[in-house]
Amino acid sequence: MCIRDSINAEYMGTIRELKKKIAERLNLSFYRVALSYENTPLSLDEKKLSEVNINEDATIVYKDLGPQIDWRTVYILEYLGPLLIQPALYYFSGPKHLVQKVAFGLAMFHFIKRILESAFLHVFSKETMPLYGSLRNYVYYWLWFGLGTGVESYFCLLYTSDAADDLLCVDLGGRRIIKKKK
């Protein structure tokens, strides 16, 4: 939704202040408001309107960006999916081969590390992202890594058969391929 409005002569502060004023007037979160002037986004929040050649007669276009979610929350929720799905698949998959145990340990270490980095280390260039955009990220991490690689790693015949324990043969989908000794 785009709504046109003009700047009153009484106000010529920073872009951030104008965004806050518009957000208050529309009863929206500050992060949902995007401003543009003559089809150019006004993204440098700390600049004064006069510094970007906007005068009292200018028309600013503001747009509601929709529901937003904090970037830190997005990353933590993305990485939480595999941390919940992988252990469930691991523990319900039956006997484990050494390769499966190592893969599980490395996966858990990786995602715990990523959550800790997101919570305490990362600095994000933007405060929020659209909620609908974050759903795509969750599908990717939860389904692709959480479910997809979990099923491949813990239910794959390559690791769950006797062939995996025998260094001279490999199980490929139920077929046993035996290497001849030289």
Side-chain angles (χ1 to χ4, degrees):
M1 170 176 84
C2 272
I3 303 170
R4 292 192 173 269
D5 198 1
S6 59
I7 302 172
N8 295 331
E10 68 198 45
Y11 182 78
M12 285 302 289
T14 65
I15 295 170
R16 178 179 288 278
E17 291 168 350
L18 179 60
K19 283 173 76 172
K20 284 182 181 177
K21 195 172 201 175
I22 291 171
E24 286 173 11
R25 196 164 108 203
L26 296 174
N27 199 24
L28 293 174
S29 165
F30 167 78
Y31 300 109
R32 287 182 67 156
V33 176
L35 301 178
S36 63
Y37 172 64
E38 295 180 353
N39 295 325
T40 303
L42 297 174
S43 57
L44 301 170
D45 286 348
E46 300 310 318
K47 285 207 171 214
K48 291 193 176 244
L49 293 171
S50 58
E51 291 176 32
V52 287
N53 299 323
I54 296 176
N55 59 32
E56 296 169 358
D57 299 325
T59 299
I60 302 284
V61 177
Y62 56 95
K63 180 178 179 180
D64 180 0
L65 297 175
Q68 301 287 303
I69 186 168
D70 181 68
W71 271 105
R72 191 170 315 281
T73 305
V74 169
Y75 280 110
I76 290 172
L77 289 175
E78 283 175 2
Y79 305 142
L80 189 61
L83 278 176
L84 299 174
I85 295 170
Q86 289 266 334
L89 294 173
Y90 179 80
Y91 289 114
F92 292 113
S93 66
K96 312 297 181 294
H97 186 270
L98 177 62
V99 173
Q100 291 171 303
K101 292 176 185 177
V102 170
F104 175 73
L106 290 173
M108 294 300 97
F109 172 77
H110 172 74
F111 282 101
I112 289 170
K113 177 184 75 78
R114 295 298 297 259
I115 286 176
L116 292 173
E117 287 172 350
S118 297
F120 302 111
L121 185 65
H122 285 256
V123 176
F124 301 97
S125 60
K126 293 189 176 189
E127 298 284 333
T128 63
M129 78 173 291
L131 181 62
Y132 66 87
S134 68
L135 298 177
R136 177 187 60 233
N137 296 9
Y138 303 145
V139 167
Y140 175 79
Y141 279 96
W142 287 54
L143 292 181
W144 178 252
F145 188 81
L147 191 61
T149 61
V151 167
E152 180 69 26
S153 298
Y154 311 128
F155 293 94
C156 176
L157 291 175
L158 179 61
Y159 302 121
T160 57
S161 70
D162 294 335
D165 294 325
D166 187 351
L167 297 177
L168 298 176
C169 61
V170 177
D171 183 351
L172 298 174
R175 298 181 311 258
R176 210 170 173 148
I177 300 173
I178 300 172
K179 294 181 184 178
K180 294 181 181 181
K181 293 182 182 180
K182 291 183 180 179

